[in-house]
């Protein structure tokens, strides 16, 4: 009796564990998305400052030197942001993959559920039955179309209703 109860409860405990792990991973992914938004904002501000400096450089006599300095300053600002974005994207891919794996395992566990498999089998039988009925209706309609000229001829030669 204990083993039967354990065998029945084990898949549900497994699913509950997966759901809890999925929520933790989803929360961590949400936190990473917030960090990504902050980094994006930092990048946009750096680009704004760079564009502003570039436009100011054209008012100076040594334009090329000023542009080179502005580009170097922009690179110094962007390089650490880019390094953080690379690490962040790698972590996001890991968490997304983990979440996908957990969802796939959950779907597999749901598919293994005998109630669901019976429901799928019933749905498949109902679908096959509907297909047969539709084919029979199509065949009947085709037969009626073939008989239409003959029936029309019978109606013409038939008794008049005066």
């Amino acid at each position: 009796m204990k083993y039967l109860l354990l065998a029945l409860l084990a898949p549900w405990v497994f699913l509950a564990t997966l759901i809890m792990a999925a929520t933790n991973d989803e929360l961590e992914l949400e936190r990473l998305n917030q960090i990504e938004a902050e980094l994006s904002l930092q990048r946009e501000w750096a680009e704004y400052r760079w564009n502003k400096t570039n436009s100011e450089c054209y008012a100076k006599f040594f334009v090329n030197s000023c542009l080179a300095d502005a580009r170097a300053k922009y690179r110094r600002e962007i390089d650490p942001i880019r390094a953080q974005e690379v690490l962040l994207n790698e972590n996001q891919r890991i968490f997304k993959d983990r979440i996908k794996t957990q969802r796939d395992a959950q779907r597999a566990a749901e598919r293994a559920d005998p109630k669901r498999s019976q429901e799928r089998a019933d749905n498949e039988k109902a679908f096959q039955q509907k297909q047969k009925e539709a084919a029979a209706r199509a065949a009947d309609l085709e037969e009626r179309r073939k008989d239409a000229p003959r029936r029309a001829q019978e109606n013409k030669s038939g008794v008049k209703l005066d």
Side-chain angles (χ1 to χ4, degrees), residues 4-135:
L4 178 63
L5 183 62
L6 183 63
L8 291 174
L9 289 179
W12 296 109
V13 171
F14 177 70
L15 280 176
T17 305
L18 281 178
I19 290 170
M20 287 176 50
T23 56
N24 289 339
D25 287 343
E26 288 172 356
L27 290 174
E28 183 64 22
L29 186 60
E30 183 62 33
R31 188 182 68 78
L32 291 176
N33 288 339
Q34 290 173 351
I35 293 172
E36 181 181 27
E38 292 171 6
L39 288 175
S40 175
L41 184 63
Q42 289 177 7
R43 177 182 282 275
E44 289 171 3
W45 274 109
E47 288 175 0
Y48 169 76
R49 287 189 294 274
W50 180 51
N51 288 332
K52 186 175 181 192
T53 306
N54 277 349
S55 65
E56 290 171 355
C57 283
Y58 288 104
K60 295 183 180 179
F61 182 73
F62 296 106
V63 175
N64 289 337
S65 174
C66 182
L67 289 175
D69 292 343
R71 188 176 306 116
K73 184 178 177 185
Y74 172 71
R75 293 305 315 162
R76 283 193 305 270
E77 278 186 71
I78 285 295
D79 286 342
I81 294 172
R82 179 68 185 140
Q84 290 175 359
E85 285 177 338
V86 167
L87 291 174
L88 180 73
N89 291 339
E90 184 179 327
N91 287 336
Q92 283 178 327
R93 278 191 294 274
I94 290 169
F95 279 106
K96 286 178 182 178
D97 185 47
R98 210 183 285 170
I99 290 170
K100 182 184 177 299
T101 303
Q102 290 168 352
R103 286 185 181 157
D104 290 346
Q106 184 178 3
R107 287 187 191 122
E110 288 175 356
R111 279 190 217 115
D113 186 19
K115 185 173 118 180
R116 290 282 187 142
S117 61
Q118 180 62 35
E119 184 179 326
R120 271 194 305 281
D122 292 343
N123 288 343
E124 189 173 332
K125 286 179 187 175
F127 175 74
Q128 294 298 333
Q129 183 63 30
K130 286 181 183 179
Q131 291 293 334
K132 288 178 185 177
E133 290 172 1

